[in-house]
Amino acid sequence: MRFLFLVIASLTLGIAVGQVYSPNFGNAYEITLYVLIFLIGMDLGLNFNGEELRKLGREALTLPIKTLVGSILGGLVASLLLGIEPKWGLAIGAGCGWYSLTGPLIAQYSAVYGAVGFLGNLMREILTITLYPVAIRRIDPEKAVAMGGATTMDTTLPVITKFGGRKVSLVAFVHGFILTSVVPFVVPLILSL
């Protein structure tokens, strides 16, 4: 619980500082993300041998498929409950938490649903960061990785590793990598239907 409060306090402090001071970071976020992924790769390479990687094979490959299907079905159910055209719900769900891609892709067709896609997928990432430590008390830590979607390769990986453990970090990285590779094709495909 302490971690949850630290995350919420950091977010609140960041919003407050952003209201007072707004520096121009340029593409620093992108460079930081590449450094983060590089460090994650180094850590995985140092901590896992080939035998451990082979054991995780099937589970690490089936979880992203289940996550994508579940996300798309969740988007369909949400669109039906909200009374919107199903293609928007399907496309937003297919974003799998990758808000910086999903929002702009959908905005090419509709600015309103692009904003909804951005915010919905951003919320998925925030909820993963705050609720993964709580969720693994009731759900298997490897299956709970699904809640992070494509973000499990980068931004939510430190939280998943800290609370889920070393073995889960590899599943999370592969999960996020596969979804990150698939989402740029699935969202436009849905939108073109």
Side-chain angles (χ1 to χ4, degrees):
M1 273 323 242
R2 182 173 162 234
F3 177 77
L4 178 63
F5 292 121
L6 287 172
V7 169
I8 292 172
S10 298
L11 178 65
T12 305
L13 180 63
I15 291 170
V17 170
Q19 293 294 320
V20 177
Y21 176 69
S22 55
N24 181 12
F25 290 111
N27 67 343
Y29 71 91
E30 189 175 341
I31 294 167
T32 305
L33 187 59
Y34 292 138
V35 169
L36 174 66
I37 292 171
F38 173 77
L39 292 173
I40 290 166
M42 289 283 295
D43 184 51
L44 292 174
L46 291 171
N47 290 312
F48 288 97
N49 61 39
E51 185 61 32
E52 289 175 307
L53 295 175
R54 279 188 286 282
K55 285 181 185 176
L56 291 173
R58 172 178 273 166
E59 184 175 344
L61 295 176
T62 58
L63 186 60
I65 295 166
K66 293 174 185 176
T67 300
L68 181 62
V69 170
S71 297
I72 291 172
L73 289 176
L76 177 62
V77 169
S79 69
L80 295 174
L81 290 173
L82 296 172
I84 62 173
E85 191 177 342
K87 103 172 172 179
W88 301 118
L90 292 169
I92 292 167
C96 291
W98 191 356
Y99 60 88
S100 61
L101 176 73
T102 306
L105 283 177
I106 297 173
Q108 293 175 0
Y109 297 86
S110 166
V112 171
Y113 289 113
V116 172
F118 175 84
L119 292 172
N121 282 283
L122 175 63
M123 185 58 67
R124 183 173 183 165
E125 182 176 307
I126 292 169
L127 289 173
T128 301
I129 291 169
T130 56
L131 296 179
Y132 181 82
V134 177
I136 62 171
R137 293 180 188 160
R138 299 190 189 277
I139 304 170
D140 177 39
E142 292 171 5
K143 291 179 182 167
V145 164
M147 68 192 298
T151 68
T152 60
M153 180 178 89
D154 45 49
T155 54
T156 60
L157 186 60
V159 173
I160 291 169
T161 301
K162 178 176 179 171
F163 293 98
R166 186 171 159 258
K167 182 182 174 193
V168 177
S169 68
L170 184 59
V171 171
F173 185 81
V174 171
H175 177 263
F177 181 79
I178 291 172
L179 288 173
T180 298
S181 302
V182 171
V183 166
F185 300 102
V186 175
V187 173
L189 178 67
I190 290 170
L191 291 169
S192 67
L193 298 176

